[in-house]
Amino acid sequence: MVDQQNKTPLYDKLIQHGKKQPISFHVPGHKFGDVFSSRGEKAYSEILKLDATEITGLDDLHGTHGVIKQAQLLASDYFESDQTHFLVNGTTSGNLAAILATCGPGETVIVQRNCHKSIIHGLELAGAKPVFLMPQFEETTNRFSQINPNMIKQAFKEYPQARTVILTYPDYFGRAYSIKEVIEVIHAFHVPVIVDEAHGVHFKVGAPFPSPSLDEGADLVTQSAHKMAPAMTMASFLHIKGERISKSKVAYYLQVFQSSSPSYPIMASLDLARYFLSMYEDTHKNELISHVKELRGLLDESSELFRVMPLTLMDDPLKITLSPTGPHTGFEIAELLESQKVYPELATSDQVLLTVGLVPSIKLNSLKERLSQVNWELKNKQHHGTIRSEQISFPMLQTLDMNYQEMQQGTPVFVFWEVAVDRICAEAVMPYPPGIPLIMKGERVTESHKETVRSLQQQKAHFQNTAIDQGIWVF
């Protein structure tokens, strides 16, 4: 179907339907934009013309036979999967479906520790027994980034009963690892590999981007098309390759976790995003990489506040990480950037992440002017000392101190931080973004956990926990 990649069947069908000037006696209630608030009518008018439902000719995501099926087949052809599903509830829905389709109650699952919260939620719903595999710490990135084959061998030596392995590739900052070697070792133990590749949908366009995990042997891969490709928020792909994972089970759980009224604009944006990627040529890529080099050079030269962390062959060049050079935290630098209408993707205590799109879109002269203003503001801003916590030490392999079944039977109580240490955490404590738990639900709270949370709070990190400034829920 390679010669068909220039087609966008779902998007085209929605346009054709709109040209019929249809009389709508069906949902949604805005009637293709004829019924809508005057306040938002101008902004929404064009997209509402695509916001249809499962009427004759427009297919059904949960029982595809027409244009949605054609669009998914084109995506499967492009990504070289055996089967590709459109996700309208984000990669979260795909991760949940993948886990429920492969993990049963009480089954041991090896999970990369720095995974997204949706992976943890899926394991809890499945009633699985996770064994958390902590990536190796890299001094060059100051992050836990690397998984290697020996770590996998050690995990299976200690937990030979493991039924599934769930990896995250790349990390939020675009750092990859030699995933082919890792997958080969896992497959030697005859278990499937699920990969949360939320930030790697664009890897398929080739070097200098890291290799996509589906090409390297992964059995099931989820990708957030909206993160690094031009798709609407919540638009994602789920790919299956090989026979290690039941396609029928995945399809069933996708019906469980996805809306029964899927968004046609989101689905059409997946059709268009696949088209965009398939039409992406080396000339486009070369122009983009040249733009990124200029951008990185400008950032490195025009600010005294931070340095741009260097790229390696294992990094996504569209992720630019800034490291503070002075006493200020990443949160403070992000706040100053935002004061000049420069909005980063996320900040941590010691890093700020910027993401770049697949076409040159940053006006370098405008950015240079704003960066100079940021420098001026910081020089004139009084700095108040911030307590930076030491990096938490994680064991390479870790299990929960209380399993999910026990937690379901227990009654959590809210306690102040002063008395939380040594109690079992009853809610995942996570800064967001990136949505990676600092303390797992079911993990015993340590003094290091407490001090790290306090430090992050002082640095104005955002947590998806209520009353986190006072305490947490524990068993």
Side-chain angles (χ1 to χ4, degrees), residues 43-259:
Y44 277 84
S45 60
E46 291 303 313
I47 199 70
L48 292 177
K49 294 175 184 177
L50 303 177
D51 193 24
T53 191
E54 298 92 337
I55 58 176
T56 301
L58 296 186
D59 208 352
D60 180 354
L61 179 63
H62 298 298
T64 61
H65 59 277
V67 289
I68 297 176
K69 182 177 181 178
Q70 293 169 25
Q72 290 185 147
L73 285 172
L74 285 169
S76 177
D77 176 65
Y78 173 70
F79 289 102
E80 298 183 272
S81 70
D82 291 344
Q83 190 175 80
T84 291
H85 293 273
F86 283 1
L87 306 178
V88 296
N89 291 79
T91 296
T92 289
S93 62
N95 286 340
L96 295 176
I99 292 169
L100 268 292
T102 55
C103 306
E107 292 183 345
T108 300
V109 182
I110 297 171
V111 189
Q112 193 168 318
R113 173 65 173 77
N114 58 335
C115 61
H116 187 260
K117 63 177 182 175
S118 60
I119 299 293
I120 307 302
H121 293 160
L123 294 169
E124 182 176 358
L125 289 173
K129 291 184 177 180
V131 175
F132 295 106
L133 179 67
M134 193 66 197
Q136 289 181 333
F137 185 77
E138 288 188 286
E139 296 289 344
T140 54
T141 64
N142 202 34
R143 296 192 305 271
F144 294 90
S145 307
Q146 295 298 300
I147 300 289
N148 64 53
N150 288 332
M151 297 170 68
I152 299 297
K153 291 175 184 177
Q154 183 64 32
F156 275 99
K157 181 179 180 180
E158 295 188 31
Y159 299 93
Q161 72 275 25
R163 299 290 299 274
T164 308
V165 176
I166 305 173
L167 303 173
T168 300
Y169 171 96
D171 69 8
Y172 208 118
F173 290 79
R175 187 74 156 191
Y177 51 85
S178 300
I179 195 167
K180 181 177 183 179
E181 298 174 3
V182 170
I183 291 174
E184 286 175 348
V185 171
I186 296 168
H187 282 167
F189 290 95
H190 308 291
V191 300
V193 181
I194 296 171
V195 180
D196 180 351
E197 197 175 270
H199 292 264
V201 68
H202 58 305
F203 288 179
K204 193 62 179 175
V205 303
F209 300 105
S211 182
S213 59
L214 197 68
D215 289 2
E216 303 297 357
D219 300 290
L220 187 151
V221 178
T222 53
Q223 297 172 326
S224 298
H226 63 93
K227 286 191 180 346
M228 299 303 294
M232 291 181 67
T233 297
M234 296 177 69
S236 296
F237 295 112
L238 183 150
H239 311 292
I240 305 173
K241 196 168 186 176
E243 302 301 324
R244 292 184 181 88
I245 291 179
S246 168
K247 296 179 179 66
S248 62
K249 283 186 178 180
V250 171
Y252 168 73
Y253 282 108
L254 284 176
Q255 291 196 40
V256 172
F257 292 114
Q258 294 216 91
S259 170

Side-chain angles (χ1 to χ4, degrees), residues 311-367:
L311 286 173
T312 72
L313 294 176
M314 302 306 291
D315 289 310
D316 178 359
L318 300 189
K319 298 290 183 76
I320 301 176
T321 303
L322 311 179
S323 178
T325 55
H328 301 278
T329 67
F331 297 108
E332 289 175 314
I333 289 176
E335 183 180 356
L336 287 164
L337 288 170
E338 290 179 356
S339 74
Q340 294 303 315
K341 308 299 186 290
V342 177
Y343 295 95
E345 170 66 18
L346 68 84
T348 66
S349 297
D350 54 6
Q351 294 179 350
V352 179
L353 175 63
L354 314 177
T355 65
V356 183
L358 281 165
V359 298
S361 60
I362 307 297
K363 294 179 175 60
L364 300 181
N365 288 336
S366 175
L367 177 63

